[in-house]
Each structure stands twice: as structure tokens, then as C-alpha cells.
Amino acid sequence: MNDPAGPQARPYDDEISLYDLWDVLMRRLPVMLGVAVLTVALGVVYALFQPVEYEYRSGVDLPRVYSSGLTNVVSQEMATARLEDVIIPQQRDALFGGEERGPRVRVSAHGSDYSLILESASTREAAEHVANLHDKIITDLAEWLTPRFEQSLATSLRPHRNRIEVLDEQIAILQEDLDTLYARLGEGDEIAGLIVAQQIGDIRRELSRLRSSRTDAASNAETIEAMSRDTEQTFLAGESDTPVGAGRSLIVALSVVLGGMLGLFAAFFWEFVSNARSRRPEPN
């Protein structure tokens, strides 16, 4: 016979009671506390054995050639690719024999379109190894960039130096003509002397113009050489003010949270195992 009150009138026996959960926690409190304390203790031990690392940064400015403003010899992307693909692996292998315990080096752009930063995390005891590695990397990069810088600088200077050579030739020719006219100045009659004097004046004015042009060309060449910059190490292995990575306090805090979670799990799992054993039928 059907229940006239319907299914909603029946009591719901599977409802979870907070009191039951509290009873379980109280019964299994030693298990929960034991697991939590063990987890926190392991976390503290792990934190104490973790080395304190700082970030060491070295700066390098890429070469630039002056030509109506400073122009990069190579782009940051090209220099970064060279560092990451060739120079850094070669130098790490040379200094540390390819061992994984050697400091890793990250390359990043910094501040402008010609500056790069080398970054490595290391303990203070190994800071000297980081500085040595960064110095070798920057030296190797400079050796790779120097021929490109010199070629770019020569290309920028070539028009001015060619103009200086042409002007020097013209000045030499006019100087010879001027010397010849000075030698003829006392010869002939008065009219011839006036003509020679007029020619001397014209040549002197042309010489003055050519020499001024040569001075400008030489000044432009000197400006290009003075303003251009080869590869330059700006600073080496500067230490960060604070340690990097997960600090000891963070590791301990995470172990406390993990210990609480594992303690709760262990308490309920222990209760489940105990109930499962009690429900097993006894052998005849």
C-alpha cells in the first residue's frame, strides 16, 4: 500500500550531522595532530636546509654608431639570440663542464633599445662564480660584436674620409698653382702683375673655402668616432637587496596549511578504516 504522505514525508537518514563530524574529529584528534605536526616539522627542516639565494645582475650596452643619431649595430633580439643559443651554453660548459649546478643565466632587455641585463640566482658563497661567468659572457659577446661595430663605423666614416681625401688633393693642386703665381708676381709689366695678383686672390679665396670644407668634414668624422660606442659592460654581478625565490617563512606557512589539510584527511580516513573493519562479518 502506497504511503499517502508521499516521499517527502519520510525522514532523510543520510543527512550529514555536524555533531557527528565533531565527534569524529575529537576521536581522531591524536591522528590529526600527529600528521599535522609531522608535516610542519618536515616543512621546517626543508626550509632550514634551503639555501638563501640572491639575484645577481650584470649590464651590457650594445655597440652603437653615430650617424644623425645613434644607431644600433645589432638589435637586442639578435644579441639575445646569440647569447642564449651560443655564448651562454659555451661559457657554462667551459666553466662548469655542463654540470647542472652551474648558475643559469637569463637575458632580458632593460631600459632602452641597446641595453641588456644578465640575471642569475645564486647564494652569496657562489657569487664569485656568477661574476666570473657574467664577465666571460660579456667578453665573448664583445668579441663577436667588435668586427661588426668596426665595419659599421667604417661605413659611416667612409663618405667623410673620402671627401677629406678629395679636398686634400684639390688643396694641394691649388697650393702648387698659388706658389707658381707667387713666383711670377715680380715678372712682366704692371698689367701682368695685376692679373697675377687677381689670380692669387681668387686662388686664396678658393683655398680658404676648401680648407673650411675640409675642417667641417674632419669635424664630422671626429664627432662620429667620439659619439659612437663599442660594447660596454655597465655593471657586474650587482646583488639584489632581498633574497629571491620561496623564502623560509613562506615554506613554513605552506607546510602549516598542508599539515592541517593532511591532518583532516588522515582523521577521516582513519575513521573510515575503523568503521569498515567493524562492519566486516566475523569468520565462523
Side-chain angles (χ1 to χ4, degrees):
M1 184 175 179
N2 295 334
D3 186 356
Q8 294 181 353
R10 301 192 191 100
Y12 187 69
D13 297 331
D14 294 335
E15 187 175 309
I16 299 177
S17 173
L18 295 178
Y19 294 104
D20 293 338
L21 295 179
W22 178 257
D23 291 340
V24 172
L25 292 178
M26 290 299 99
R27 283 197 303 272
R28 306 304 175 187
L29 185 61
V31 175
M32 182 175 65
L33 292 178
V35 172
V37 170
L38 178 61
T39 303
V40 173
L42 292 175
V44 171
V45 172
Y46 176 77
L48 292 176
F49 279 94
Q50 278 292 101
V52 179
E53 292 188 333
Y54 292 83
E55 186 175 68
Y56 294 90
R57 308 174 76 197
S58 299
V60 56
D61 285 349
L62 301 177
R64 293 155 290 155
V65 171
Y66 184 82
S67 178
S68 300
L70 289 172
T71 304
N72 289 357
V73 174
V74 298
S75 65
Q76 286 177 320
E77 291 77 13
M78 182 181 295
T80 300
R82 177 72 181 183
L83 286 168
E84 293 178 342
D85 297 341
V86 180
I87 295 177
I88 292 175
Q90 287 180 348
Q91 291 301 329
R92 290 186 76 241
D93 184 68
L95 292 175
F96 305 103
E99 299 178 11
E100 288 299 324
R101 58 188 176 88
R104 297 186 177 275
V105 182
R106 300 181 301 277
V107 184
S108 61
H110 177 71
S112 62
D113 61 352
Y114 58 85
S115 295
L116 294 176
I117 295 294
L118 306 180
E119 300 173 329
S120 296
S122 176
T123 61
R124 283 178 171 170
E125 292 75 14
E128 184 178 351
H129 297 300
V130 174
N132 188 30
L133 176 60
H134 284 195
D135 183 63
K136 295 288 186 182
I137 291 172
I138 294 174
T139 300
D140 201 350
L141 178 66
E143 292 177 356
W144 178 69
L145 289 172
T146 294
R148 291 163 174 79
F149 168 73
E150 293 175 349
Q151 181 180 1
S152 181
L153 180 60
T155 300
S156 184
L157 289 172
R158 187 175 297 117
H160 302 284
R161 289 178 172 172
N162 291 341
R163 179 166 174 75
I164 291 173
E165 292 178 3
V166 172
L167 290 172
D168 284 341
E169 293 176 359
Q170 292 176 348
I171 290 172
I173 293 172
L174 287 179
Q175 187 63 51
E176 291 178 2
D177 293 343
L178 184 63
D179 293 341
T180 301
L181 289 173
Y182 273 124
R184 292 172 49 193
L185 188 59
E187 300 177 356
D189 55 16
E190 184 178 349
I191 296 177
L194 290 174
I195 294 174
V196 171
Q198 180 66 37
Q199 291 175 340
I200 289 174
D202 292 340
I203 291 177
R204 290 182 64 183
R205 284 190 293 272
E206 182 64 16
L207 277 173
S208 178
R209 186 187 67 81
L210 292 176
R211 284 168 179 160
S212 178
S213 298
R214 188 193 185 283
T215 300
D216 291 340
S219 177
N220 291 335
E222 291 174 359
T223 300
I224 290 174
E225 289 183 311
M227 296 294 291
S228 298
R229 295 287 183 270
D230 202 350
T231 308
E232 182 180 1
Q233 177 181 289
T234 53
F235 56 93
L236 180 64
E239 183 181 283
S240 60
D241 295 332
T242 57
V244 296
R248 292 177 176 176
S249 58
L250 177 60
I251 295 175
V252 172
L254 291 177
S255 66
V256 170
V257 175
L258 181 61
M261 296 172 60
L262 291 179
L264 288 174
F265 174 78
F268 287 110
F269 183 75
W270 197 280
E271 180 71 13
F272 167 76
V273 171
S274 298
N275 292 337
R277 287 178 176 177
S278 64
R279 290 171 183 266
R280 292 177 58 184
E282 298 181 358
N284 295 328

